[in-house]
Amino acid sequence: MEIVLVGRSNVGKSSVIRQLTGKRVPVGKRPGVTRRPLRLKLGELEIVDMPGFGYMAGMSRERQEAVKTEIVGYLEENREKILFGLEVLDARAFGQVVERWGRRGQLPVDVEMFQFLQEMKLHPIVVVNKIDLVYPEERGAVLDDICEKLGLSAPWRQWLDVVAPISAKTGEGIAELKKLVKQRLSELGQERLQKYFKLSKS
Ligand SMILES: Nc1nc2c(ncn2[C@@H]2O[C@H](COP(=O)(O)OP(=O)(O)O)[C@@H](O)[C@H]2O)c(=O)[nH]1
Ligand SMILES: [Mg+2]
């Protein structure tokens, strides 16, 4: 059984995996270097860190398209063993990226990927990371905006079973995210896998 993480490079996928599992995975390595999905084995569960999609300095358009195709292909081929998806976003950068693409009349890959995960019935959890970089008084508006851009109507608090604002840096929101992951596992009848997401005693 697998839980699959998708997101742009540098949004903090590896950091989120570390926070969720307590296991060290390479963080902050040169983005885009990871081509194959990285797998973290937790007994009968595997956390699969997909290559980062979207623009990266020094990467051709063809390569960007190839990464997206690779991820979509992976999800299709392995659908049977995938429990659900985690899509990681950068709280501060997401809105700007989506608007930039929108001005060019294009659907940003982040939004496309979220829709694809929904179509595949992979019940994605949207992990809005780096929330520490958003002023507390602006967080509500930023989260509403992210929801609307993903096709989820504001206010964001309606989507507490989908959207998890966190900081993989400070640990804020991690307890709520773990709860959400355990809830998904329970909905899928996989309670025995919940033990990998115990709350840390701190
Ligand atoms: N401020 C802040 N930085 C973060 C957070 N999560 C990750 N980072 C930093 O963002 C960079 C990319 O993180 P990484 O986990 O390697 O991203 P990945 O490329 O998506 O796997 C690293 O320098 C991390 O230290 C966060 O919640 N807040
Ligand atoms: Mg990484």
Side-chain angles (χ1 to χ4, degrees):
M1 291 302 197
E2 298 182 354
I3 296 175
V4 173
L5 269 94
V6 300
R8 284 180 189 272
S9 336
N10 226 38
V11 292
K13 292 184 300 300
S14 302
S15 306
V16 169
I17 294 175
R18 181 186 290 182
Q19 282 281 4
L20 273 178
T21 65
K23 303 268 192 267
R24 292 186 79 78
V25 284
V27 167
K29 287 270 159 56
R30 212 174 80 81
V33 173
T34 321
R35 295 219 169 155
R36 301 280 139 253
L38 284 177
R39 297 171 167 280
L40 177 67
K41 265 198 211 303
L42 303 166
E44 68 265 62
L45 178 68
E46 279 190 271
I47 311 287
V48 183
D49 185 4
M50 297 303 292
F53 55 65
Y55 176 78
M56 267 167 269
M59 195 194 255
S60 67
R61 265 213 84 79
E62 290 71 32
R63 181 63 208 152
Q64 288 176 48
E65 277 303 311
V67 170
K68 195 172 84 181
T69 307
E70 201 175 305
I71 296 172
V72 166
Y74 183 88
L75 296 173
E76 283 174 343
E77 279 161 36
N78 297 280
R79 176 64 191 89
E80 298 289 279
K81 57 180 179 181
I82 303 174
L83 293 166
F84 59 90
L86 291 177
E87 179 163 341
V88 185
L89 310 176
D90 177 325
R92 224 175 28 164
F94 180 76
Q96 293 162 20
V97 170
V98 171
E99 276 160 30
R100 197 183 314 135
W101 282 63
R103 282 195 294 275
R104 287 191 246 131
Q106 287 171 312
L107 186 65
V109 58
D110 325 68
V111 177
E112 199 183 348
M113 196 60 73
F114 180 65
Q115 291 173 354
F116 182 71
L117 289 168
Q118 286 180 315
E119 282 162 24
M120 297 277 291
K121 303 226 171 355
L122 280 167
H123 303 288
I125 296 174
V126 179
V127 180
V128 182
N129 190 34
K130 307 199 185 187
I131 201 73
D132 58 289
L133 299 178
V134 179
Y135 290 115
E137 61 272 25
E138 290 174 2
R139 290 183 189 172
V142 164
L143 291 163
D144 283 349
D145 183 55
I146 289 171
C147 278
E148 287 185 330
K149 287 185 161 77
L150 290 173
L152 307 169
S153 54
W156 77 275
R157 286 198 169 275
Q158 300 171 78
W159 304 104
L160 288 175
D161 56 342
V162 181
V163 176
I166 69 152
S167 168
K169 186 180 177 184
T170 67
E172 190 179 346
I174 296 298
E176 289 80 2
L177 175 59
K178 285 184 179 175
K179 234 170 101 180
L180 208 48
V181 166
K182 289 194 273 192
Q183 188 185 311
R184 282 284 192 288
L185 290 171
S186 161
E187 285 160 7
L188 292 160
Q190 302 284 347
E191 282 86 354
R192 70 179 198 292
L193 300 177
Q194 291 175 330
K195 60 176 183 273
Y196 299 114
F197 303 97
K198 283 205 189 93
L199 295 180
S200 51
K201 311 159 203 70
S202 58

